[in-house]
Amino acid sequence: LGLELHRQILPDGGHISRNPSIHLQLLSDLIAVTETLAAAHLEQPAWLKDSVRLMAPMLRSLRLGDGGLGLFNGGAMEDADVIDQILSKSGVRARTQSSAPHSGFHRLSAGRSAVIMDTGNMPGRDANRWGHAGALSFEMSAGKERLIVNCGGGGLGGEWRQALRSTAAHSTVVIGDLNSAPVNPDGGAARPPRQVTSSRRELDGNTIIEAVSEGYEQSLGLTHRRLLMLSPDGGELQGEDQIYGKTGVRFDARFHLHPNIQATVIQDGHGVLIKPHRGKGWKFSAAAFALALEGSVYFDAPQRRRRCQQIVLSGLTEASGTTVKWRLARL
């Protein structure tokens, strides 16, 4: 078990599956082992203690404002009370991690806003057979309300599972109507995914995440670069998507909205008014691009499909490179 945990748990505490639900289940199992050893008055091995100590802070990093987990690589939202109990039993009081470079996640948090961004490669088949092609996607919550989401895992098979693994089922940029990683219907990727790199920095009190995906380099000769910047009070998220390489290829920047969101197009098609179930409204705007509201789906738990909407910014790549600037601001 010690050797296997060394293989599965990354140095930043994340699980090699990059699936928050699998991370939660493994941590729960390890805590059950520690409780069993304690009840039997047996000493806990150091590698077991170290595994729990590493995984608990990472689990906190994968939570949004409602206490549930972000939907990445087939994971579900999970029960917030169960997550609280597991974290309490872990006995680890470490703060939430903002950066997990080995696991491929970054977190922004300010005020009552939280953003989790996928800055890693699609997991290998041996790590997560049903990993997703969601490079540079993100989820965002304000207070206890989720605003921007991914479509989730669904716990389904066949065409649904394949659709939910696709790049279009994530809040990121889709280029040429292709996936950023070649998703194999039998599991894993059809070929090794291209590299994703990321960094973060501070600028005038704002935290900026910058990530680059080469997922479309081999298929289309294009590179996607995304910057996210959250204001110090959490009231504004600014984004910039850059696509450079080949010209004349269609792209769609997708922002899936949680089912509890009411969305209305404003400003002659250049903005969307976003009204959560509770709390203040937000405005999404992209001055240089016309946008559209389209239908989408959301699986916050296995087998539970909910209808929702998505904001879509579309265009064609240009020879000098294409820059899509957008902004999500609290009203």
Side-chain angles (χ1 to χ4, degrees), residues 20-43:
S21 291
I22 294 176
H23 184 110
L24 172 68
Q25 184 60 57
L26 177 57
L27 180 57
S28 176
D29 290 343
L30 294 182
I31 290 172
V33 173
T34 64
E35 291 176 336
T36 302
L37 292 175
H41 304 290
L42 295 174
E43 184 179 354

Side-chain angles (χ1 to χ4, degrees), residues 116-136:
I116 304 173
M117 184 176 181
D118 183 342
T119 57
N121 294 319
M122 180 178 170
R125 182 188 171 101
D126 60 335
N128 180 353
R129 183 177 180 181
W130 306 116
H132 288 196
L136 311 197

Side-chain angles (χ1 to χ4, degrees), residues 177-256:
D177 203 25
L178 299 176
N179 293 321
S180 59
V183 177
N184 192 328
D186 295 328
R191 60 178 182 271
R194 299 301 292 265
Q195 187 67 24
V196 179
T197 57
S198 65
S199 63
R200 63 189 293 142
R201 63 183 187 274
E202 301 290 328
L203 179 64
D204 299 329
N206 300 282
T207 304
I208 302 173
I209 300 173
E210 179 179 350
V212 177
S213 169
E214 298 178 353
Y216 292 101
E217 184 97 4
Q218 188 169 342
S219 57
L220 296 173
L222 289 162
T223 300
H224 174 210
R225 174 176 175 262
R226 167 167 274 185
L227 281 83
L228 295 183
M229 181 172 71
L230 185 65
S231 64
D233 66 352
E236 180 180 75
L237 178 69
Q238 293 188 54
E240 183 175 298
D241 288 297
Q242 297 180 346
I243 307 166
Y244 42 93
K246 187 187 289 186
T247 184
V249 181
R250 179 187 170 88
F251 67 86
D252 300 282
R254 300 183 179 275
F255 304 85
H256 298 269

